[in-house]
Amino acid sequence: MQLSLLTDNSADTASADFGFREVRADGHNIKLNGKNIFLRGTLECCIFPLTGCPPTDRAGWQKVMSAAKAWGLNHLRFHSWCPPKAAFEVADSMGMYLQIELPQWSLTVGQDSGTSDFIKSEFDNIIREYGNHPSFCLLSAGNELQADFQYLNSLAAYMKAKDPRRLYTTTTFTFEQGHGLVPEPEDQYFITQYTDLGWIRGQGIFDAEAPTFDKDYVSALGNAHVPVVSHEIGQYAVYPNLDEISKYTGTLDPINFKAVEADLQSKGLRDRAHDWMMASGALASILYKEEIERALKSPGMCGFQLLDLHDFPGQGTALVGMLDAFWEEKGFISADEWHQWCAPVVPLARYPKATYTPSETFAADIEIANYSPSDLKGTLNWQVSMADQVISSGTLDCSNAVQGGNTALGSISCPLASISSASQLTLTVKIDGTPYQNSWKFWVYPTQQINEKSVVLARDLDKALEALSAGQKVLFSPSPETIKGLEGKFVPVFWSPVHFPDQAGTMGICCDPEHPALAHFPTASHSDWQWWRLAKNSKAMILDSLPEVGCIVENVDNFANNRRLSSIFEAKCGAGSLIVSSIDLLGDSLSNSPEGQQMLYSLVEYMKGDSFAPSHSITPDELKSLIQERD
């Protein structure tokens, strides 16, 4: 719009860009111009490594928002700050939904009148300068605020009354006792990690519960009367990409990355950094996939805010992104792959577990989350495949997939009786005539009979040492409780091992899938869901004092410690040959687990053959050093 004020002697003109849009809360939904939207968001924490300050030109923000859109996002949350004009202009042109926050991350809100006056005036300034931008859909009073919620509710009421063109919330989550479990009276939408009925993000679930893919967060949403957005989901740390050091050509010096590199070089482990980054990154992306899909499966949720699509170099170094701090790919997952489960339309599958036996049937319920501009028409094709072989396939009608929510399409099933050896299978679904598709892996393990006299299976150290002294092959798998090492976890380090040092501290496994010891245990080079029970029933052995032994399965350590960790290694010992597994393969915890029995079978088959010929030796005392001393 252009406006002119003319008098006989002078003229004044003004212009403004704006959009016709109405955003409002409708029960559990956010509606934009009458249609339900789902916020697929990430944070923008003022991370600009070359300058140390945000860009004020459109080009700088086009890079940020183009990357976000390429990865399927439609939403940016500005953590505790308001960006400059150029950010709003680019967001307007790209159709991004922005959440602006007043500049406070405080545990004492409302307790200082000068601060309260400043915050209120900042709101007035933000609305005056940027209130006409259609991308400016949401505003929060700040991040994780605590103290006076009477003040925060009065502030929200003031903001709503002054400019009702967007939705407001009192805080982006809170740890304040007595608050944060249900919306505040003045909240028009509610951002949280959990409610009074349970978690709405995987960080509190994925390491505690065995893998299942038929769950959602609906039961935790029952007492929320406004739209709910999950707060800072993910925060799965990835090992540093040391090749990133060369990108720092501006204001900031990556002394954190350089310190990690120097530590690795001093330990002779610099060559492992890239593999560890790739393996930990792949695990993080698998967890982010399940995070996002659970949110999309949950009627009553209207979005998520990742922490983060890209790295946060501060707060002890939080490398939680699929992208680096420059909004550029690290290499372990592409935007196209990520886009399968983070897009306007996402096919979803609900199924109960990750591992099966041939006597079972794989069954899944298929649905579509459709937040495109319109209803869908057409057909969904599905298939279950093993390598290049299609095991089963079919179609489902998706012509009733209405805009603005989830539509159940029906069930599929695939008998597994034809699977005669340990196999990874993939369920793939595609919607005809669209770019929308998705896929999921699962694993089938036949029942194995392990009865090989040429290999001694020992849970007891004395038994293992006796057999080794007699020149035998020994698979030594003691109870994890007796092993010196780190707690077995599937989920990697939370946020930052520097900022939160009291964590178990591992970041998944790293292995060579072609190693003959894993010939009967199909795996990628990184953790996937079939490793969950193995990881949880294990410890990570610290092998810094045994640098030459051959690691069959490494555990990626966190970058604050950079230790050489392993859960399966091989060596000569005494007159015999040895595999040590800190995964509890001989205990009751994995005796009825298909993946546990399959791993045991794969190791024994390897040890029976000629390829089992460890090249490095450890002494009996070095083997003993891995076990806790007896009382």
Side-chain angles (χ1 to χ4, degrees):
M1 177 180 288
Q2 289 188 330
L3 299 175
S4 298
L5 176 63
L6 305 176
T7 71
D8 291 339
N9 301 317
S10 61
D12 192 14
T13 62
S15 65
D17 294 334
F18 65 94
F20 285 108
R21 69 110 178 97
E22 177 198 46
V23 60
R24 62 185 177 88
D26 180 24
H28 283 135
N29 295 310
I30 292 178
K31 288 188 179 292
L32 183 73
N33 294 338
K35 292 186 176 182
N36 293 344
I37 62 172
F38 192 92
L39 300 173
R40 305 183 303 276
T42 193
L43 274 66
E44 212 318 296
C45 298
C46 208
I47 303 164
F48 298 96
L50 296 183
T51 61
C53 63
T56 56
D57 64 324
R58 292 181 65 124
W61 288 104
Q62 283 167 346
K63 178 177 182 179
V64 169
M65 295 187 192
S66 294
K69 291 209 76 168
W71 285 71
L73 302 183
N74 61 8
H75 170 47
L76 287 180
R77 170 199 162 199
F78 288 87
H79 184 312
S80 312
W81 74 295
C82 177
K85 179 180 180 181
F88 291 92
E89 293 175 338
V90 172
D92 292 345
S93 68
M94 289 189 170
M96 296 292 286
Y97 309 133
L98 304 186
Q99 174 178 305
I100 308 306
E101 292 183 355
L102 301 183
Q104 57 178 344
W105 182 0
S106 171
L107 309 184
T108 58
V109 292
Q111 295 182 1
D112 176 75
S113 60
T115 300
S116 298
D117 291 343
F118 168 76
I119 291 297
K120 187 175 181 180
S121 69
E122 277 298 277
F123 168 76
D124 293 340
N125 293 336
I126 289 168
I127 292 301
R128 184 185 67 250
E129 294 294 326
Y130 307 126
N132 288 339
H133 288 279
S135 57
F136 186 2
C137 293
L138 308 162
L139 188 142
S140 169
N143 176 72
E144 297 179 0
L145 302 176
Q146 290 185 245
D148 188 344
F149 270 80
Q150 183 176 353
Y151 159 77
L152 286 173
N153 276 282
S154 66
L155 176 61
Y158 169 81
M159 295 189 294
K160 289 191 294 184
K162 179 155 189 175
D163 189 345
R165 294 176 295 176
R166 56 197 46 82
L167 300 181
Y168 296 91
T169 190
T170 51
T171 177
T172 304
F173 186 55
T174 184
F175 291 102
E176 181 74 11
Q177 289 292 320
H179 297 270
L181 298 178
V182 296
E184 292 295 314
E186 295 294 338
D187 285 345
Q188 293 177 302
Y189 68 109
F190 180 48
I191 304 175
T192 189
Q193 297 179 6
Y194 41 70
T195 71
D196 55 338
L197 299 174
W199 286 92
I200 61 166
R201 73 174 195 171
Q203 192 69 51
I205 298 171
F206 291 166
D207 206 61
E209 298 179 359
T212 182
F213 309 95
D214 55 3
K215 290 190 175 181
D216 54 39
Y217 300 125
V218 171
S219 63
L221 300 173
N223 293 330
H225 56 275
V226 299
V228 177
V229 178
S230 51
H231 176 62
E232 296 184 355
I233 68 170
Q235 304 188 57
Y236 303 116
V238 176
Y239 200 80
N241 178 15
L242 299 183
D243 293 339
E244 192 179 324
I245 292 173
S246 62
K247 291 186 177 183
Y248 283 78
T249 59
T251 300
L252 302 185
D253 183 10
I255 57 173
N256 48 357
F257 283 64
K258 291 177 179 178
V260 172
E261 184 172 50
D263 191 33
L264 290 173
Q265 287 172 337
S266 71
K267 296 173 178 177
L269 295 173
R270 176 60 179 85
D271 64 327
R272 302 301 303 131
H274 182 264
D275 287 346
W276 292 348
M277 183 270 290
M278 294 292 285
S280 59
L283 172 59
S285 67
I286 287 166
L287 293 166
Y288 273 114
K289 173 178 166 69
E290 179 61 16
E291 287 265 15
I292 291 171
E293 290 186 358
R294 284 202 187 189
L296 287 168
K297 290 174 182 174
S298 304
M301 284 193 69
C302 70
F304 59 80
Q305 294 171 342
L306 300 173
L307 189 56
D308 192 351
L309 183 63
H310 73 321
D311 285 343
F312 185 81
Q315 206 174 51
T317 305
L319 308 177
V320 294
M322 304 296 97
L323 308 180
D324 62 24
F326 300 84
W327 290 89
E328 295 169 357
E329 291 186 12
K330 299 180 182 180
F332 49 77
I333 185 173
S334 69
D336 287 345
E337 185 178 359
W338 179 274
H339 210 269
Q340 291 186 57
W341 58 83
C342 187
V345 176
V346 178
L348 300 165
R350 295 179 187 254
Y351 55 102
K353 58 183 181 176
T355 61
Y356 295 80
T357 64
S359 63
E360 297 178 280
T361 294
F362 174 80
D365 295 326
I366 306 300
E367 60 192 62
I368 291 178
N370 176 18
Y371 292 93
S372 69
S374 60
D375 298 346
L376 282 178
K377 304 293 182 183
T379 301
L380 179 140
N381 297 304
W382 66 270
Q383 69 175 33
V384 174
S385 59
M386 180 176 63
D388 296 328
Q389 178 186 0
V390 176
I391 306 299
S392 186
S393 63
T395 62
L396 293 170
D397 180 15
C398 61
S399 60
N400 293 321
V402 297
Q403 190 281 334
N406 284 33
T407 300
L409 302 188
S411 301
I412 68 166
S413 63
C414 174
L416 304 174
S418 64
I419 310 300
S420 59
S421 60
S423 303
Q424 175 187 292
L425 280 69
T426 303
L427 168 64
T428 303
V429 299
K430 298 180 180 180
I431 303 174
D432 272 353
T434 77
Y436 303 121
Q437 64 179 60
N438 207 348
S439 62
W440 302 266
K441 299 173 186 174
F442 63 98
W443 293 263
V444 180
Y445 303 121
T447 302
Q448 302 293 359
Q449 297 297 322
I450 302 166
N451 184 18
E452 178 48 52
K453 295 181 179 179
S454 66
V455 177
V456 176
L457 305 181
R459 205 160 190 251
D460 179 73
L461 177 62
D462 292 337
K463 179 181 177 180
L465 291 171
E466 181 181 355
L468 289 167
S469 67
Q472 293 182 280
K473 298 177 180 180
V474 176
L475 173 56
F476 177 44
S477 182
S479 168
E481 290 76 16
T482 69
I483 299 171
K484 296 177 183 176
L486 307 179
E487 174 191 351
K489 294 195 72 176
F490 180 75
V491 171
V493 172
F494 172 76
W495 188 238
S496 167
V498 179
H499 190 71
F500 296 109
D502 297 328
Q503 304 184 59
T506 52
M507 304 171 75
I509 64 102
C510 182
C511 66
D512 176 5
E514 302 302 318
H515 194 293
L518 302 174
H520 298 284
F521 190 85
T523 183
S525 60
H526 53 80
S527 298
D528 209 329
W529 294 109
Q530 88 276 32
W531 285 92
W532 189 91
R533 286 185 177 82
L534 304 182
K536 293 294 290 180
N537 292 282
S538 74
K539 274 190 178 175
M541 297 176 286
I542 302 172
L543 301 185
D544 287 342
S545 61
L546 303 171
E548 300 299 321
V549 300
C551 291
I552 297 171
V553 177
E554 288 182 294
N555 300 83
V556 180
D557 197 10
N558 68 73
F559 51 85
N561 293 300
N562 302 308
R563 293 161 292 196
R564 190 168 190 251
L565 306 179
S566 179
S567 51
I568 303 177
F569 73 85
E570 61 183 343
K572 296 177 182 176
C573 185
S577 298
L578 171 71
I579 281 183
V580 178
S581 170
S582 58
I583 301 170
D584 193 15
L585 298 177
L586 303 178
D588 293 338
S589 58
L590 293 174
S591 60
N592 294 317
S593 155
E595 54 267 50
Q597 290 304 293
Q598 190 65 42
M599 177 61 80
L600 178 59
Y601 175 79
S602 190
L603 295 178
V604 170
E605 289 298 297
Y606 167 59
M607 296 176 75
K608 287 162 54 178
D610 294 336
S611 59
F612 177 52
S615 56
H616 297 286
S617 298
I618 64 173
T619 67
D621 284 342
E622 287 172 327
L623 180 59
K624 291 178 183 178
S625 72
L626 301 174
I627 304 300
Q628 298 179 18
E629 294 183 5
R630 298 169 182 170
D631 294 332

